[in-house]
Amino acid sequence: MEISWSDFEKIDMRVGTVLTVSNFPEARNPAYQLQIDFGPLGIKKTSAQITTRYDKNELVGKQVVAVINFPKKQIANFMSEFLVLGVVGDNKDVILLQPDSSALNGDRVL
């Protein structure tokens, strides 16, 4: 299905830096809770099913790409505020999308 440029412009994708990572034992599938700094847009939280590929300690300081204008979503006892983007392989292993050079937190992705 094709979308128009005006449809694409509605998706607000931004770069942010992971500040904290914690286990999320209440999640149905193994996941982490992340706090990410989006610069002038603030610090937001989400959960991500990325436990098979990423160790908590290696995630802190990484820049990631996220969609920040989805409605908030309740996941177990946690309110997710945005969606971290990643590539999903055949085995459902998620590879996070990241800029290949340092960007400013909050920079828009086009």
Side-chain angles (χ1 to χ4, degrees):
M1 168 178 36
E2 287 186 1
I3 64 171
S4 68
W5 180 255
S6 64
D7 289 334
F8 177 74
E9 286 181 313
K10 293 175 188 173
I11 303 167
D12 193 0
M13 291 182 285
R14 302 289 179 138
V15 172
T17 300
V18 177
L19 297 177
T20 65
V21 181
S22 56
N23 292 326
F24 189 10
E26 298 84 4
R28 195 173 329 162
N29 297 311
Y32 292 137
Q33 292 176 350
L34 308 172
Q35 282 195 329
I36 297 182
D37 181 359
F38 290 102
L41 302 170
I43 295 171
K44 299 181 182 292
K45 60 186 180 178
T46 194
S47 69
Q49 295 175 8
I50 55 175
T51 59
T52 56
R53 179 171 289 269
Y54 298 98
D55 177 78
K56 289 188 305 187
N57 296 324
E58 75 175 290
L59 287 168
V60 174
K62 274 194 185 292
Q63 286 197 306
V64 295
V65 176
V67 175
I68 64 164
N69 64 334
F70 280 131
K72 293 179 181 179
K73 182 177 180 180
Q74 183 81 35
I75 302 171
N77 62 344
F78 183 78
M79 188 62 72
S80 180
E81 299 176 309
F82 64 94
L83 175 69
V84 174
L85 296 178
V87 178
V88 181
D90 290 337
N91 61 357
K92 304 215 181 209
D93 188 22
V94 177
I95 301 168
L96 293 171
L97 296 186
Q98 332 176 225
D100 69 353
S101 295
S102 182
L104 295 176
N105 290 335
D107 277 357
R108 184 139 193 215
V109 176
L110 295 176

